Amino acid sequence: MEEQKDETIMNNKTKRLLLILNAVLLSIGTCGGPLIMRLYFVRGGKRVWLSSSLETAGWPIIFLPLLISFIRRRRQSAASTAKLFLMTPRIFLAATVIGILTGADDYLYAYGVAKLPVSTSSLIIASQLGFTAFFAFLLVRQKFTAFSVNAVVLLTVGAGVLALRTGSDRPKGETKMEYYMGFFMTIAASALYGLILPLVELTYKKAKKTVTYTLVLEMQLVICFFATLFCTIGMIINNDFQAIPREAKGYELGERMYYFVLVCNGLIWQCFFLGAIGVIFTGSSLLSAVLIAVLLPVTEVLAVVFYKEKFQAEKGISLVLSLWGFVSYFYGETKYNNNNNTNTNKSNEPNPSNQLVVETELAKTRPTDHDDVNSTSININ
């Protein structure tokens, strides 16, 4: 019992460490991704398919932790029994479908970032929490408290407030139609990614095998590969590969900085996707969506500081509603977890009345001295 208890504690500690690590990766990607992508567009970049492919193009990095995991498995078991990949055909097929959906979502999001200020697109993405909650309820039967429902409503309304005065922060040289297209494409990206997160969680639950962090990384590798393939096909059709050298020469920050920005795009966005899928593994799809939304204030401030974007009244209202939603969600989750822990501790405590009943029953079945004598005499005879 003590060994099992120690193992459980160790597993919980490992899970917390993984959650913290993935939350950090998700924070880097959520805050840095939109900023570095917007930098590509505001300094002369025009290729939406190229920008969307960069969101998942950093997938080869995942081979490094997978290689380390494989070497470790070979040392722990016989070399002949260590599998190169843990993924089953069923999980591979699910990851392929999710990867194609992710590629489509990458394009929708990149189009929105190309046309909208970062502060506006980030607030619209907050509505993703509402979509995630809806699909999580349908697909994985996510349980809700009054606080989590309140948070979803506030975050969704906060994003909707921006629609009241669309166009007031339209960048120079951009038509109203382009701005509106960017607005609605960003909402579509938010809705689609709100579906993708619960689909990943559903894949974990339907895996029919133990889901380890190595398996999570393998899934991420397949998802990003097919997402990149989807966007690369778009690049080929749009002749982006032929346009890259010309665009690099005309880039405002210089040709070297052009390629540096592209590389940073791939690395930072890979942090986002690794963090998102890791948080789902250690927590839930709803928690992943909440962490994405909770970083909105940071992204807002960075966008205003680095790009001198306008911060109108409707953005302020949207930001306040978003913060209110964050506080509501985390307070509700903390209260729910505390109640669960209290109930668990009470159930583990011995019940005096039950103990008395057990002792009484034992007393009834315990033989008396008289019975012992009789049984002895019978055996003698």
Side-chain angles (χ1 to χ4, degrees):
M1 286 293 291
E2 291 183 0
E3 291 180 359
Q4 291 180 353
K5 187 176 181 181
D6 292 339
E7 187 177 350
T8 302
I9 293 172
M10 183 63 68
N11 289 335
N12 289 336
K13 287 182 178 179
T14 304
K15 197 171 183 180
R16 287 196 200 99
L17 288 174
L18 281 175
L19 178 59
I20 294 171
L21 173 62
N22 286 287
V24 171
L25 290 174
L26 185 60
S27 302
I28 294 171
T30 303
C31 296
L35 295 174
I36 196 71
M37 181 180 283
R38 185 61 181 167
L39 179 63
Y40 164 77
F41 287 113
V42 297
R43 295 300 182 179
K46 302 293 182 184
R47 300 287 158 176
V48 177
W49 277 113
L50 169 62
S51 188
S52 60
S53 68
L54 291 173
E55 292 183 55
T56 50
W59 60 268
I61 299 172
I62 305 174
F63 277 118
L64 180 59
L66 285 178
L67 177 61
I68 296 172
S69 176
F70 176 68
I71 294 173
R72 185 179 179 184
R73 291 201 306 275
R74 280 176 64 92
R75 290 178 177 175
Q76 291 177 347
S77 60
S80 58
T81 60
K83 293 182 178 180
L84 184 60
F85 294 105
L86 303 178
M87 185 178 292
T88 62
R90 179 190 180 96
I91 299 175
F92 179 83
L93 180 61
T96 300
V97 174
I98 295 172
I100 294 171
L101 291 175
T102 301
D105 182 73
D106 289 345
Y107 177 79
L108 294 171
Y109 181 75
Y111 190 97
V113 173
K115 304 300 179 183
L116 301 176
V118 175
S119 55
T120 301
S121 62
S122 296
L123 283 172
I124 296 172
I125 288 297
S127 63
Q128 173 191 305
L129 182 59
F131 293 113
T132 303
F134 174 73
F135 289 119
F137 175 76
L138 292 180
L139 297 176
V140 295
R141 297 292 184 263
Q142 174 73 49
K143 294 181 180 179
F144 291 95
T145 64
F147 296 98
S148 59
V149 172
N150 182 53
V152 169
V153 171
L154 288 171
L155 288 165
T156 305
V157 171
V161 168
L162 294 175
L164 299 176
R165 284 185 61 191
T166 53
S168 59
D169 61 345
R170 190 172 76 246
K172 293 180 180 179
E174 191 173 292
T175 64
K176 285 185 177 181
M177 182 57 66
E178 289 176 331
Y179 183 89
Y180 291 143
M181 279 294 295
F183 190 91
F184 290 112
M185 291 284 251
T186 306
I187 292 177
S190 178
L192 183 54
Y193 202 66
L195 170 64
I196 290 171
L197 293 178
L199 281 177
V200 173
E201 186 175 357
L202 181 64
T203 303
Y204 291 161
K205 292 187 175 183
K206 300 291 184 179
K208 293 185 177 179
K209 67 175 300 179
T210 303
V211 179
T212 62
Y213 194 63
T214 300
L215 182 60
V216 171
L217 290 176
E218 290 180 6
M219 272 191 64
Q220 177 66 8
L221 180 69
V222 175
I223 290 171
C224 288
F225 172 78
F226 281 99
T228 306
L229 181 62
F230 178 89
C231 295
T232 302
I233 294 172
M235 288 179 64
I236 294 171
I237 296 172
N238 201 44
N239 296 321
D240 280 6
F241 287 103
Q242 293 88 333
I244 288 175
R246 296 195 304 270
E247 193 173 72
K249 291 179 181 178
Y251 197 62
E252 292 181 15
L253 300 178
E255 189 172 353
R256 288 185 179 180
M257 280 299 297
Y258 175 82
Y259 291 109
F260 179 74
V261 169
L262 295 188
V263 171
C264 287
N265 256 291
L267 293 175
I268 293 175
W269 278 114
Q270 193 55 227
C271 289
F272 170 82
F273 285 106
L274 273 174
I277 200 170
V279 170
I280 295 172
F281 168 67
T282 53
S284 67
S285 56
L286 186 62
L287 176 60
S288 184
V290 167
L291 286 177
I292 292 170
V294 82
L295 293 163
L296 268 177
V298 181
T299 309
E300 284 282 322
V301 172
L302 292 175
V304 172
V305 170
F306 289 110
Y307 297 127
K308 310 299 180 184
E309 294 181 357
K310 297 178 181 178
F311 196 85
Q312 298 97 332
E314 64 271 15
K315 288 185 181 180
I317 295 172
S318 180
L319 186 59
V320 169
L321 290 173
S322 298
L323 290 171
W324 185 5
F326 304 150
V327 173
S328 176
Y329 179 84
F330 283 111
Y331 175 77
E333 286 298 300
T334 302
K335 188 175 181 180
Y336 178 77
N337 291 332
N338 289 339
N339 289 338
N340 278 349
N341 292 335
T342 302
N343 293 334
T344 302
N345 292 334
K346 285 183 178 180
S347 63
N348 291 333
E349 291 178 359
N351 192 328
S353 59
N354 291 340
Q355 187 174 358
L356 180 61
V357 171
V358 171
E359 290 179 354
T360 304
E361 293 296 326
L362 288 174
K364 289 179 180 179
T365 58
R366 188 179 297 123
T368 61
D369 295 339
H370 179 70
D371 292 334
D372 291 341
V373 172
N374 291 339
S375 60
T376 305
S377 61
I378 291 171
N379 291 333
I380 292 173
N381 295 332

